[in-house]
Short mmCIF file of all heavy atoms in Angstrom, two decimals:
data_model
loop_
_atom_site.label_atom_id
_atom_site.label_comp_id
_atom_site.label_asym_id
_atom_site.label_seq_id
_atom_site.Cartn_x
_atom_site.Cartn_y
_atom_site.Cartn_z
N ALA A 149 -8.78 4.12 -0.74
CA ALA A 149 -9.05 3.58 -2.07
C ALA A 149 -7.81 2.89 -2.63
O ALA A 149 -7.91 1.85 -3.30
CB ALA A 149 -9.51 4.70 -3.01
N MET A 150 -6.64 3.45 -2.34
CA MET A 150 -5.38 2.85 -2.79
C MET A 150 -5.20 1.46 -2.18
O MET A 150 -4.86 0.50 -2.87
CB MET A 150 -4.22 3.77 -2.39
CG MET A 150 -2.84 3.24 -2.76
SD MET A 150 -1.54 4.22 -2.00
CE MET A 150 -1.71 3.73 -0.28
N TRP A 151 -5.43 1.35 -0.87
CA TRP A 151 -5.29 0.04 -0.22
C TRP A 151 -6.29 -0.95 -0.80
O TRP A 151 -5.95 -2.11 -1.07
CB TRP A 151 -5.49 0.17 1.28
CG TRP A 151 -4.25 0.62 2.01
CD1 TRP A 151 -4.02 1.84 2.57
CD2 TRP A 151 -3.06 -0.15 2.24
NE1 TRP A 151 -2.77 1.87 3.13
CE2 TRP A 151 -2.16 0.67 2.96
CE3 TRP A 151 -2.68 -1.46 1.91
CZ2 TRP A 151 -0.90 0.23 3.33
CZ3 TRP A 151 -1.42 -1.90 2.30
CH2 TRP A 151 -0.55 -1.06 3.00
N LEU A 152 -7.53 -0.51 -1.03
CA LEU A 152 -8.55 -1.43 -1.53
C LEU A 152 -8.27 -1.88 -2.95
O LEU A 152 -8.77 -2.92 -3.38
CB LEU A 152 -9.94 -0.78 -1.45
CG LEU A 152 -10.50 -0.60 -0.03
CD1 LEU A 152 -11.84 0.11 -0.07
CD2 LEU A 152 -10.63 -1.95 0.68
N ARG A 153 -7.46 -1.13 -3.69
CA ARG A 153 -7.07 -1.57 -5.05
C ARG A 153 -6.26 -2.85 -5.00
O ARG A 153 -6.12 -3.54 -6.01
CB ARG A 153 -6.27 -0.47 -5.76
CG ARG A 153 -7.12 0.65 -6.32
CD ARG A 153 -6.36 1.45 -7.37
NE ARG A 153 -5.28 2.23 -6.80
CZ ARG A 153 -5.42 3.46 -6.32
NH1 ARG A 153 -6.61 4.04 -6.28
NH2 ARG A 153 -4.39 4.13 -5.84
N HIS A 154 -5.72 -3.18 -3.83
CA HIS A 154 -4.91 -4.39 -3.70
C HIS A 154 -5.74 -5.60 -3.26
O HIS A 154 -5.19 -6.67 -3.00
CB HIS A 154 -3.79 -4.16 -2.68
CG HIS A 154 -2.90 -3.00 -3.04
ND1 HIS A 154 -2.31 -2.88 -4.27
CD2 HIS A 154 -2.52 -1.91 -2.32
CE1 HIS A 154 -1.59 -1.76 -4.30
NE2 HIS A 154 -1.71 -1.16 -3.13
N THR A 155 -7.07 -5.44 -3.20
CA THR A 155 -7.93 -6.53 -2.73
C THR A 155 -7.76 -7.79 -3.56
O THR A 155 -7.60 -8.89 -3.03
CB THR A 155 -9.41 -6.10 -2.74
OG1 THR A 155 -9.58 -4.98 -1.86
CG2 THR A 155 -10.31 -7.23 -2.26
N ALA A 156 -7.80 -7.64 -4.89
CA ALA A 156 -7.73 -8.82 -5.77
C ALA A 156 -6.39 -9.54 -5.61
O ALA A 156 -6.34 -10.77 -5.54
CB ALA A 156 -7.95 -8.41 -7.22
N ALA A 157 -5.30 -8.78 -5.57
CA ALA A 157 -3.97 -9.39 -5.43
C ALA A 157 -3.85 -10.10 -4.08
O ALA A 157 -3.30 -11.21 -4.00
CB ALA A 157 -2.89 -8.33 -5.57
N LEU A 158 -4.36 -9.47 -3.03
CA LEU A 158 -4.29 -10.09 -1.70
C LEU A 158 -5.16 -11.33 -1.65
O LEU A 158 -4.75 -12.37 -1.10
CB LEU A 158 -4.73 -9.09 -0.63
CG LEU A 158 -4.75 -9.61 0.81
CD1 LEU A 158 -3.38 -10.12 1.23
CD2 LEU A 158 -5.22 -8.51 1.77
N ALA A 159 -6.36 -11.26 -2.20
CA ALA A 159 -7.26 -12.42 -2.22
C ALA A 159 -6.61 -13.58 -2.97
O ALA A 159 -6.72 -14.74 -2.55
CB ALA A 159 -8.58 -12.04 -2.88
N SER A 160 -5.93 -13.29 -4.06
CA SER A 160 -5.27 -14.33 -4.83
C SER A 160 -4.15 -14.99 -4.02
O SER A 160 -3.97 -16.22 -4.06
CB SER A 160 -4.70 -13.73 -6.13
OG SER A 160 -4.04 -14.71 -6.89
N ALA A 161 -3.40 -14.18 -3.27
CA ALA A 161 -2.32 -14.71 -2.44
C ALA A 161 -2.87 -15.59 -1.33
O ALA A 161 -2.31 -16.65 -1.01
CB ALA A 161 -1.49 -13.57 -1.86
N ILE A 162 -4.00 -15.17 -0.74
CA ILE A 162 -4.63 -15.96 0.31
C ILE A 162 -5.13 -17.29 -0.26
O ILE A 162 -4.95 -18.36 0.34
CB ILE A 162 -5.80 -15.18 0.95
CG1 ILE A 162 -5.27 -13.94 1.68
CG2 ILE A 162 -6.59 -16.06 1.92
CD1 ILE A 162 -6.36 -12.98 2.13
N ALA A 163 -5.76 -17.23 -1.43
CA ALA A 163 -6.28 -18.44 -2.07
C ALA A 163 -5.15 -19.40 -2.41
O ALA A 163 -5.25 -20.61 -2.18
CB ALA A 163 -7.06 -18.06 -3.33
N GLU A 164 -4.07 -18.86 -2.94
CA GLU A 164 -2.91 -19.69 -3.27
C GLU A 164 -2.36 -20.37 -2.03
O GLU A 164 -2.02 -21.56 -2.04
CB GLU A 164 -1.83 -18.83 -3.92
CG GLU A 164 -0.56 -19.58 -4.30
CD GLU A 164 0.53 -18.64 -4.82
OE1 GLU A 164 0.29 -17.43 -4.90
OE2 GLU A 164 1.62 -19.14 -5.12
N ASP A 165 -2.29 -19.63 -0.94
CA ASP A 165 -1.76 -20.18 0.31
C ASP A 165 -2.64 -21.30 0.84
O ASP A 165 -2.14 -22.26 1.43
CB ASP A 165 -1.68 -19.06 1.34
CG ASP A 165 -1.11 -19.53 2.67
OD1 ASP A 165 0.12 -19.64 2.79
OD2 ASP A 165 -1.91 -19.80 3.59
N ASP A 166 -3.94 -21.19 0.61
CA ASP A 166 -4.88 -22.17 1.16
C ASP A 166 -5.28 -23.23 0.14
O ASP A 166 -6.14 -24.07 0.43
CB ASP A 166 -6.13 -21.45 1.67
CG ASP A 166 -6.72 -22.11 2.92
OD1 ASP A 166 -5.92 -22.54 3.78
OD2 ASP A 166 -7.95 -22.21 3.03
N GLY A 167 -4.69 -23.19 -1.04
CA GLY A 167 -5.01 -24.19 -2.07
C GLY A 167 -6.41 -24.06 -2.64
O GLY A 167 -7.03 -25.05 -3.02
#
Side-chain angles (χ1 to χ4, degrees):
M150 178 190 72
W151 278 107
L152 290 178
R153 282 198 291 273
H154 303 308
T155 299
L158 178 58
S160 179
I162 294 170
E164 179 185 359
D165 181 81
D166 215 40

